[in-house]
Every structure is written in structure tokens, then in C-alpha cells.
Amino acid sequence: YMSYNNTEHPFTQIQITDEGLEAMAQTVAQVREFTGYEVPLCSDHYGYMDENQFIRLGKAIEKYRMSWLEDTVPWFYFDRLRTLKEAIETPVCTGEDIYMLGGMLGGFKPLIDAQCVDIIHPDLVSAGGILETKRIGDYAEEAGIPMAMHHNSTSVAFMANVHCAAATENMLCLEHHNIDVD
């Protein structure tokens, strides 16, 4: 229980060195060179850092015009997300582990109301299903926030995501990880 995996991101005090920033930026540069600027590019899963380190990273990769940085600091740190959002040009995206629009655990509503992210990112399977994800998207649209959808589940769930995406006006894209599923 004492591992970094159980320590909230802002409290680990992990720092990116200048050499580490350069290596991360170089990786983004290589992918961008391969894909060109016609293909949207975003990135995710950086490790347990605070918003100051993500600001440094965001500034180091701004010239590559990323579509978003995903799941930087935990979604419930609204002030930290807002600080990051206001400090960098690259959009900030989060939400794949948030349940429902509102409710006992908070849901997407307080995140959207706080205007601390540029893009919400619900996962239909864990957000509450087709109708609830549609509600989340519609609420975000009223607040001027677009939605990208996360998907890492079955082919049936993927098609449910496709149907929800088609019915949601502020939809940007549907992420999926199931390239190995026939």
C-alpha cells in the first residue's frame, strides 16, 4: 500500500529532468513526423506527476499541435486541472474513469461546471451506458465542451459506443484499443 501507484499524482514530487523532457518531446516529434499534421495526435499515461510537470511537458510539445493531453492529474483536482488548462495551448482531456453525469460520487457534472478541461472523455461501459453517456455529452455541449469517447471493451460495447457517438452533436472521436479483437 506504500507504492507510488497508491500515491495521488500531485504528492509524489516526481520531477521531469530537462533531458527527460527532451526525450519525451523527441518521441512526439518522431510520431508527428511519421503521421504528418493531417492526422490528429494525442497522448496519455505519463506517470505520477503534478500539474507543474505537465505544464513543462505541454510547453515542450506545443509546436507539434497535439489534439489533447489525456488524464494528466486526477480528474477530481479541478483547480490543478484548470491551472494546467490555462497554462498550455494543448487541450486537456479526462474522464474515462468517471461514473455518471451526477450522483453520490460527483460524476461529470462538477468537472464540466468547473470548466477545468477542454474535452471530456467518458467510457460508455463505465460511465453508465448509452443513455447516461448521451446525457453527459449533451450536458458538456451546453457548457461548450466537446466529447471524445474512450472504449476498451467488447465488440458489442464498441457498437453501443458508435451509436451513442452518432447521436451526440459535440462528439469528436471514439478511441478504442481492441485491434486484436476480430
Side-chain angles (χ1 to χ4, degrees), residues 10 50-51 54-55 69-88 90-95 98 111 114-119:
D50 67 13
E51 69 279 9
F54 287 112
I55 289 169
L69 297 180
E70 179 184 333
D71 294 333
T72 51
V73 294
W75 67 269
F76 44 83
Y77 286 117
F78 301 152
D79 290 340
R80 292 173 183 265
L81 283 168
R82 187 177 302 102
T83 297
L84 174 61
K85 175 186 170 186
E86 291 173 355
I88 64 175
T90 304
V92 175
C93 173
T94 196
I98 303 175
L111 178 74
Q115 292 282 313
C116 58
V117 294
D118 298 292
I119 302 166

Side-chain angles (χ1 to χ4, degrees), residues 57-66 87-90:
L57 175 61
K59 290 180 183 291
I61 63 172
E62 278 181 353
K63 63 184 174 185
Y64 304 112
R65 307 311 299 162
M66 304 283 287
I88 64 175
E89 293 178 18
T90 304

Side-chain angles (χ1 to χ4, degrees), residues 8-82:
E8 293 292 343
H9 293 47
F11 308 121
T12 63
Q13 288 305 305
I14 292 175
Q15 305 287 305
I16 304 176
T17 64
D18 290 340
E19 183 179 334
L21 273 179
E22 178 58 35
M24 293 172 92
Q26 185 60 37
T27 300
V28 174
Q30 290 170 345
V31 173
R32 178 52 81 198
E33 183 179 332
F34 179 78
T35 63
Y37 282 87
E38 295 78 31
V39 175
L41 181 62
C42 58
S43 62
D44 186 10
H45 297 296
Y46 304 98
Y48 292 81
M49 303 180 296
D50 67 13
E51 69 279 9
N52 296 314
Q53 299 310 302
F54 287 112
I55 289 169
R56 293 179 63 220
L57 175 61
K59 290 180 183 291
I61 63 172
E62 278 181 353
K63 63 184 174 185
Y64 304 112
R65 307 311 299 162
M66 304 283 287
S67 295
W68 68 72
L69 297 180
E70 179 184 333
D71 294 333
T72 51
V73 294
W75 67 269
F76 44 83
Y77 286 117
F78 301 152
D79 290 340
R80 292 173 183 265
L81 283 168
R82 187 177 302 102

